[in-house]
Amino acid sequence: AALTAEPQRRADRALAAALASLQAGAFGTALTLLAEAEADAVEKRQQARAAHLRGQIAWVSNPERGAPARLLEAATRLESLDVRLARLSYFDAWFAALTGSSVDGPAGLLEISRAARRIPLPEGRTDPGDVLLEGLATLITDGLAPARPTLQRATDEFLADPRPDAWLRGGAAVPVAAITLWDGDCWTALTTRHVQVARGS
């Protein structure tokens, strides 16, 4: 990023570097790179990606009550620009609200769930995280009975998915689905697998 002269490409590379720093736990470096990316971002998609990343950093580095709202705003902006990234933002906002990074409690979770359900599942092969988001959002908006088939599908797909990146993104939330289904064996299998993938990575 530092050696890139063209601002638009420099912004993309700074965003990628900021995300890598976040994933490595270097939150200060991530914020510095993100500020550089925001200064160069000219495209709406870049600006929305930067907003998503800022929300992620706020959530994991120093959980604050504003993180779900930031992530929800980023997801809303991304809906017309990048559906897959919008769904990832809704997923992060949902989990941030669930884990207490909000003063809104159930009301915030309901708002996020309603917004997430506006985006239909992608056609064709779906990512387990997409299915999980749909199930968790349905759980909040409509209750357990309508959400049960989707939550069951999400747990089955995660257990069948060998890709570490899918587990590292959704692995912390998927046991919520198993517990909601009162499936202790599934919960044990999911959490054991998540630990294995995290240690291996």
Side-chain angles (χ1 to χ4, degrees):
L3 295 174
T4 304
E6 198 272 311
Q8 184 174 332
R9 182 173 293 182
R10 185 169 61 238
D12 281 335
R13 291 178 174 173
L15 284 169
L19 177 60
S21 297
L22 168 63
Q23 292 171 337
F27 303 134
T29 302
L31 284 169
T32 299
L33 289 163
L34 179 57
E36 294 173 6
E38 289 171 331
D40 288 324
V42 293
E43 291 186 341
K44 289 183 178 179
R45 185 177 183 278
Q46 289 176 325
Q47 294 165 355
R49 285 176 59 205
H52 175 211
L53 191 53
R54 189 165 287 283
Q56 286 182 301
I57 295 170
W59 171 30
V60 301
S61 64
N62 183 23
E64 56 169 283
R65 65 184 185 181
R70 288 185 185 205
L71 290 162
L72 176 59
E73 179 186 359
T76 304
R77 291 168 62 181
L78 282 161
E79 281 189 28
S80 62
L81 305 169
D82 187 327
V83 172
R84 183 159 293 281
L85 190 54
R87 291 188 66 85
L88 288 176
S89 294
Y90 279 126
F91 184 91
D92 288 342
W94 196 98
F95 200 54
L98 178 73
T99 54
S101 300
S102 172
V103 294
D104 297 328
L109 206 54
L110 180 60
E111 180 185 3
I112 292 166
S113 297
R114 285 174 173 164
R117 294 197 65 198
R118 288 199 306 259
I119 307 180
L121 281 169
E123 295 183 4
R125 187 183 183 279
T126 55
D127 187 275
D130 286 318
V131 181
L132 178 60
L133 173 63
E134 188 73 13
L136 293 173
T138 302
L139 175 67
I140 299 302
T141 59
D142 296 351
L144 178 57
R148 183 181 295 278
T150 310
L151 292 174
Q152 188 65 64
R153 177 184 165 195
T155 58
D156 291 344
E157 289 191 9
F158 265 99
L159 285 173
D161 195 329
R163 298 172 301 154
D165 60 324
W167 279 87
L168 292 174
R169 276 212 62 84
V174 69
V176 174
I179 286 296
T180 301
L181 296 170
W182 287 90
D183 190 340
D185 291 338
C186 181
W187 182 86
T188 300
L190 287 165
T191 51
T192 300
R193 179 72 184 281
H194 186 213
V195 170
Q196 291 171 343
V197 170
R199 285 178 174 162
S201 298

